[in-house]
Amino acid sequence: MKQQLATWFDCESDAGSAQKATCLSVSWITCDLNNNFKIIEDLSGTLNSRFKNSRPFEVDAMLAHNIPIKNIENQKLSNGELIDEWDKAFKNLSDKNTIFVGYNNQNYDNLLLQNSLFINLKFPYITSKQQFDLLPAIRASSVFAPNALKYELNAKGNLSFKLQAMLRANGLTTEKAHDSYHDTLSTLKLGKLLNDKAPDVFSAALELRRKADVLPKIKKEDIFCWHEAYFKTKIYCGTCLGESIFPGWYYLYDLRKNPEEILSLDIQGLKEALSRSKKWIRTLKSNRAPIIMKKEMYELDEEYRALGMTEIKKRYNLLKKYKEELANKVRLIQEESYNEKKEFNQTDQHPEEKIYSLNITNEERNLMNQFNLNNSAKERKNIFNRFKNDDLKKLAEMKVFDNYKKEELEKKFCEIFSLRDYKRVKKRVAKLILDTSDTPSPFTKIPTQLARIDTLRVIAEKNEDDEKMKQLDELNKYLEDMMNDYEKVS
């Protein structure tokens, strides 16, 4: 049987927001899905890095993974060097036709990788060729194969889908929680268990790992089922209505809603119907490896079972005649709403926030590659001077600023740029990380984190948790030292 590689990966970082975070540790383990998930050792690895000079950490993220600050500061790789190695390794794996898999990676690890590559002047979408997220597959199994896996209940009495809870419930051991290597290995083990216990769900998760395969699938199936998860995981049964206002996103129609109530409405009536809380137009994103199940799965949901397939098909047949017309009306309404929001939100973005809006020419992409590959200070300066885009210049300066240890930073930075440039960049960082306002920012703010430490200290003192107090003191010292350094230039 032909080999099918899957690369499972996990990151530990210093912030809960992928846009603000620095990846401190990343691990990946590659296996052959067609050979009982056999691990291929030479396609696995772990990278660790130091903090960035420009980025404070979020206290809760540091407490979660509990990596000592001293260990992070003593790493050989700067964060930029970690990103270089990560980029190289994952490009190699992508060329080998691997499938990239993580646990909640669509909402975090993929975003962290993409943003890290972008701000380091690299092409950000390495994992987009084929990928899926194990978390939605685990959630899907809870409704489409409800007895396949075991689950813990959270404090609200709902099923808990956290990785460590799933491992405990299903008797899968891990040596260390919130560690990139052990979380990667645990995700692989959980994926294998899902494949063994709920093969139809696992196959469905794999089937649409390529964006190009999504539209043919949902067009081919007249009626199909899918799941969505917010507070609880819920089955939907419906059909594809058409393309949305965003490329690669599609409107799905929930056949709980009788089309007779919708098709007679004018635009204003349709707008009001769309605004109501029980949404009957759903959005499917082709870049999220959606899990599409057979229409027969409708019987697992009480509401659809009460309707019965005869009524569901009747609704589908009525809707089928007016799909294009209804999709056009929905697009008009949502485009109007989107443009209003876009017009309202006119705040200027920092370069670090422009991963989706920065238009980069082929010439500039080539210059970015040269800047990354060239180690000569003189050549890097020449390449930098050829950038026409001011945002790219700022990102290039930040890349250099974050690439050296504190004791050599000024000297190394000034080998490429001037002392005046160094002071300007440091002043920009100071303004962002010492900010006391509520203004959104791609940088974690030190005052907010020091306030968080004060809150956690009160709790730790009340609980007589000396170990937590020691951790908080260490985190507090690092942030105060950083603040004192940047206050000198602010």
Side-chain angles (χ1 to χ4, degrees), residues 296-417:
E296 287 76 14
M297 291 289 185
Y298 85 96
E299 292 186 334
L300 293 169
D301 180 88
E302 190 177 333
E303 284 185 79
Y304 293 117
R305 192 166 61 248
L307 277 177
M309 185 48 70
T310 302
E311 176 63 21
I312 290 171
K313 283 184 176 178
K314 180 184 172 184
R315 293 180 178 192
Y316 167 76
N317 288 329
L318 174 61
L319 181 66
K320 184 167 63 172
K321 303 173 189 175
Y322 303 98
K323 272 188 179 185
E324 190 174 340
E325 181 185 341
L326 181 56
N328 285 336
K329 288 180 179 178
V330 173
R331 273 193 294 272
L332 281 171
I333 291 167
Q334 295 203 335
E335 192 165 19
E336 181 183 314
S337 174
Y338 173 73
N339 288 335
E340 283 176 3
K341 288 178 184 176
K342 195 175 176 183
E343 200 172 307
F344 179 76
N345 185 14
Q346 294 294 325
T347 53
D348 290 333
Q349 289 183 312
H350 296 284
E352 291 85 356
E353 299 173 290
K354 295 185 177 180
I355 184 170
Y356 304 118
S357 60
L358 190 60
N359 294 318
I360 299 170
T361 65
N362 289 335
E363 180 187 357
E364 284 170 327
R365 179 70 66 189
N366 184 45
L367 289 173
M368 290 159 65
N369 292 336
Q370 290 179 43
F371 189 85
N372 277 315
L373 292 172
N374 205 302
N375 291 318
S376 159
K378 184 179 178 182
E379 281 304 308
R380 288 188 107 184
K381 179 62 175 177
N382 288 336
I383 295 164
F384 176 86
N385 287 334
R386 290 162 62 192
F387 283 128
K388 295 173 184 175
N389 188 305
D390 287 339
D391 288 325
L392 287 180
K393 287 185 173 183
K394 283 184 181 178
L395 292 177
E397 288 175 333
M398 292 303 301
K399 179 178 174 68
V400 175
F401 186 84
D402 281 321
N403 202 43
Y404 300 103
K405 292 183 177 180
K406 293 173 187 175
E407 57 269 22
E408 60 178 357
L409 173 58
E410 182 177 329
K411 178 177 178 293
K412 290 289 187 181
F413 187 94
C414 293
E415 286 177 3
I416 302 173
F417 306 108

Side-chain angles (χ1 to χ4, degrees), residues 75-92:
Q75 291 299 327
K76 291 180 181 178
L77 297 179
S78 68
N79 187 252
E81 289 166 338
L82 177 145
I83 301 305
D84 289 342
E85 294 298 317
W86 194 1
D87 178 44
K88 192 189 306 178
F90 272 32
K91 276 181 178 173
N92 175 48

Side-chain angles (χ1 to χ4, degrees), residues 228-241:
E228 294 182 24
Y230 295 100
F231 298 107
K232 290 184 178 180
T233 306
K234 188 175 180 180
I235 288 176
Y236 287 82
C237 180
T239 189
C240 176
L241 198 63

Side-chain angles (χ1 to χ4, degrees), residues 453-470 472:
I453 288 174
D454 289 342
T455 300
L456 292 172
R457 272 178 168 158
V458 171
I459 298 169
E461 284 178 358
K462 185 179 179 181
N463 295 333
E464 298 182 357
D465 190 339
D466 294 337
E467 185 60 34
K468 181 62 67 65
M469 286 294 294
K470 186 178 176 184
L472 293 171

Side-chain angles (χ1 to χ4, degrees), residues 4-5 43 91-98 129-130:
Q4 177 58 74
L5 299 180
L43 293 178
K91 276 181 178 173
N92 175 48
L93 285 161
S94 182
D95 289 343
K96 293 181 185 296
N97 209 34
T98 198
K129 187 176 175 183
Q130 42 180 353

Side-chain angles (χ1 to χ4, degrees), residues 273-286:
L274 286 169
S275 68
R276 293 181 192 128
S277 59
K278 200 166 185 180
K279 306 294 183 186
W280 42 272
I281 292 289
R282 318 300 299 181
T283 302
L284 178 145
K285 303 174 184 179
S286 63

